Amino acid sequence: MTWEPTATGVLRLPSGRLVRGRGLRHPLPTGRTPDFALYLLGKEPPAVEWEARWVRWPDFRLPSDRAGALEALREALSRASAERVEVACGGGRGRTGTALACLAVLDGVPNTEAVAYVREHYSRHAVETPWQKRYVSRFARGSSRDSP
């Protein structure tokens, strides 16, 4: 079972898959918890009761291991077809928005439209820095050649 489409922070991808984005500095939303989470932080997150994967991604920057980030994003997208998947960073905007835009690319949104897609359907403040926008614009569906 996946997320309720109208739940706070839930982004519907073109395929219909639902992914929740959120900021870890905010309280956990009420209701169902994730089955799987992708945490985008500069340091290892605290343990949670659900399965989680950490991508080292310092605030206002890009993932430290781009190939590893691509692999983690592919896993999140795959799992979102049947599970409640959450993508989160500290504030839920920059890194989370960037990752959600990359998920949109993996799901078929053209790179040039992915940031606008996430800003329209998730948060108008998503993807905060010019280099995060560039990362999405160069993000490759089939490889790890997504470096700026």
Side-chain angles (χ1 to χ4, degrees):
M1 180 182 263
T2 63
W3 299 112
E4 286 295 321
T6 58
T8 302
V10 172
L11 171 69
R12 179 184 296 274
L13 294 166
S15 65
R17 293 175 184 168
L18 303 172
V19 179
R20 180 172 77 185
R22 79 174 178 104
L24 295 171
R25 290 191 293 263
H26 307 292
L28 184 67
T30 58
R32 310 276 315 232
T33 57
D35 295 312
F36 175 75
L38 189 57
Y39 293 128
L40 317 168
L41 299 166
K43 62 181 183 175
E44 191 168 359
V48 290
E49 296 175 14
W50 45 87
E51 190 176 350
R53 186 166 176 178
W54 170 48
V55 172
R56 184 183 301 276
W57 192 328
D59 201 7
F60 297 107
R61 298 202 181 142
L62 298 174
S64 299
D65 174 4
R66 309 234 175 122
L70 174 61
E71 179 186 317
L73 289 164
R74 284 183 177 151
E75 178 182 3
L77 182 64
S78 175
R79 294 179 76 147
S81 65
E83 298 177 59
R84 288 182 307 280
V85 172
E86 173 176 86
V87 176
C89 65
R93 292 182 174 180
R95 294 167 285 180
T96 296
T98 302
L100 291 174
C102 290
L103 287 175
V105 170
L106 290 172
D107 203 51
V109 175
N111 297 58
T112 56
E113 299 172 21
V115 171
Y117 183 88
V118 170
R119 286 181 174 169
E120 179 181 346
H121 299 286
Y122 171 67
S123 169
R124 63 186 176 99
H125 301 289
V127 190
E128 295 176 314
T129 68
W131 42 93
Q132 289 171 340
K133 286 182 196 176
R134 187 171 52 243
Y135 180 75
V136 173
S137 74
R138 296 179 179 181
F139 189 79
R141 289 185 193 132
S143 71
S144 60
R145 67 172 184 85
D146 54 303
S147 56

